[in-house]
Amino acid sequence: MRQKILVSGGAGYIGSHTCVELLAAGYDVVVVDNFSNSKPAVLDRVSRIAGRDVTWYEVDLRDKSALARVFAQHTFSGVLHCAGVKAIDEAQRFPLKYYQHNLEASLTLIEAMTQHGLRRLVFSSSATVYGEAARVPYREEAPLAPNTVYGRSKMMVENVLQDLVQADPSWHIAILRYFNPVGAHSSGLIGEDPSGIPGNLMPHICQVAIGKLDELAIFGHDYPTPDGTGVRDYLHVMDLAEGHVKALEYVCRESGLLTLNLGNGRGYSVLEMVRAFEHACSRKINYRYAPRRAGDLASYYADARRANEVLGWRAHRDLSEICTDAWRWQSQNPEGYS
Ligand code: WQD
């Protein structure tokens, strides 16, 4: 009998790539997603890659009775909680939405797990929980001081999970703090499909390369970084997906709370990303310098040693593979999943 894993947000960018990896590792996968920022078509693609079906339900996690029906139909070995909203600027304008979808939804999911005696959870957190207080490279022990609503909504869930383990050490929880996931599955069948004009760097570069957007605005070129542009820790989404499977295996073995950075451990500037992408797609990426974006930090990247020590995980796909895979996805699916 295969172990069955519930993946919330399994049709999203991270969730879908993680489902592929779970299926490859021999798990059965049940997805709950409200499709607010994704489409069921994603899951057909996941099934195509894996050669196995994915069971899915259109469920908003805050809908307790809908969630209860899913739990009544399946016996899960663990939960990967990837569902959430993640646009930094939108979060500043609509904080309540972010606390509802990120915090309230997590509480409902945890409550449903508790009711079914299920205590194995992997939670999608973000490097944005560190904020300005931490020194680079960020270590997991660094103080948390997120400077955005989005980051605070993630930190609040982390706090809830800490309290949960404190009160009941039989919980098995891994908190994964993602740095900047980019790239796509090497099949070109799944990738990042943002709605509207992409707010993040990589999908924006992709859309300039394919001709959907005229140019990239580089937000700031006067940062105290080697070339003046912002530096981030970009990691391939399939490396991240592998990290989830290893974290799941860990929570199936060990109880307590484990908090891990999932990053590549080194930073790349915006200009380095542009050049690597130009190389991968053999096209010129038009860009112009624009003022700094409010709330952006100059440079951050992970100290990713703990994930290596505890899980034996590290990001091993390089920038060239990231860009090649992102370009394959974009060029084969110029309109995303639609
Ligand atoms: C990267 C760099 C920008 C767009 C990350 C995640 C994000 C979120 C929080 C997940 C920065 C520059 C960007 C553009 C640019 N959620 N840039 N022009 O801000 O590091 O956020 O953490 O937890 O999804 O990616 O990522 O991709 O927006 O920016 O110059 O059009 O690219 O200033 O230096 P960021 P990003």
Side-chain angles (χ1 to χ4, degrees), residues 157-168:
V157 180
E158 289 201 12
N159 291 341
V160 169
L161 297 177
Q162 277 156 16
D163 290 342
L164 214 55
V165 172
Q166 193 79 40
D168 177 358

Side-chain angles (χ1 to χ4, degrees), residues 60-297:
D60 187 302
L61 289 179
R62 294 169 303 155
D63 182 345
K64 288 187 185 184
S65 48
L67 196 56
R69 284 195 291 278
V70 175
F71 272 85
Q73 283 178 54
H74 302 275
T75 303
F76 299 116
S77 301
V79 176
L80 297 193
H81 179 27
C82 301
V85 279
K86 57 157 194 164
I88 307 254
D89 53 341
E90 185 194 38
Q92 297 303 118
R93 285 180 287 126
F94 305 104
L96 201 58
K97 173 178 174 183
Y98 275 68
Y99 293 122
Q100 285 165 337
H101 284 270
N102 290 350
L103 179 59
E104 187 188 335
S106 300
L107 296 177
T108 320
L109 176 61
I110 293 164
E111 192 184 7
M113 291 178 68
T114 309
Q115 283 163 358
H116 287 82
L118 180 59
R119 288 189 165 70
R120 292 176 184 150
L121 174 67
V122 177
F123 172 61
S124 299
S125 189
S126 165
T128 53
V129 296
Y130 291 110
E132 267 162 289
R135 295 238 305 270
V136 289
Y138 290 168
R139 300 189 60 198
E140 288 87 350
E141 299 76 20
L144 303 188
N147 54 351
T148 61
V149 169
Y150 168 71
R152 282 192 286 281
S153 73
K154 288 288 181 187
M155 185 183 71
M156 286 178 190
V157 180
E158 289 201 12
N159 291 341
V160 169
L161 297 177
Q162 277 156 16
D163 290 342
L164 214 55
V165 172
Q166 193 79 40
D168 177 358
S170 71
W171 274 90
H172 302 46
I173 298 177
I175 292 172
L176 306 181
R177 293 182 182 150
Y178 309 157
F179 280 69
N180 288 51
V182 286
H185 188 265
S186 59
S187 63
L189 286 170
I190 58 171
E192 190 168 9
D193 180 22
S195 47
I197 295 180
N200 294 122
L201 178 66
M202 198 61 167
H204 202 109
I205 292 178
C206 285
Q207 294 199 9
V208 173
I210 201 79
K212 284 181 79 176
L213 296 172
D214 292 337
E215 62 179 8
L216 169 74
I218 295 184
F219 300 139
H221 68 298
D222 56 353
Y223 283 114
T225 58
D227 63 23
T229 66
V231 167
R232 295 289 182 275
D233 182 333
Y234 299 93
L235 81 158
H236 198 296
V237 65
M238 288 310 296
D239 281 330
L240 190 64
E242 288 169 15
H244 284 75
V245 175
K246 286 194 186 276
L248 178 69
E249 287 164 355
Y250 179 92
V251 298
C252 287
R253 282 192 317 267
E254 311 278 345
S255 58
L257 180 76
L258 174 70
T259 302
L260 292 178
N261 288 336
L262 291 187
N264 168 29
R266 67 151 289 186
Y268 296 97
S269 74
V270 175
L271 280 175
E272 280 180 285
M273 296 303 287
V274 168
R275 298 216 173 94
F277 203 89
E278 285 180 335
H279 189 73
C281 71
S282 306
R283 294 179 182 198
K284 176 105 188 60
I285 306 295
N286 291 326
Y287 67 82
R288 71 180 161 86
Y289 291 121
R292 293 180 181 191
R293 186 172 65 178
D296 266 355
L297 301 179

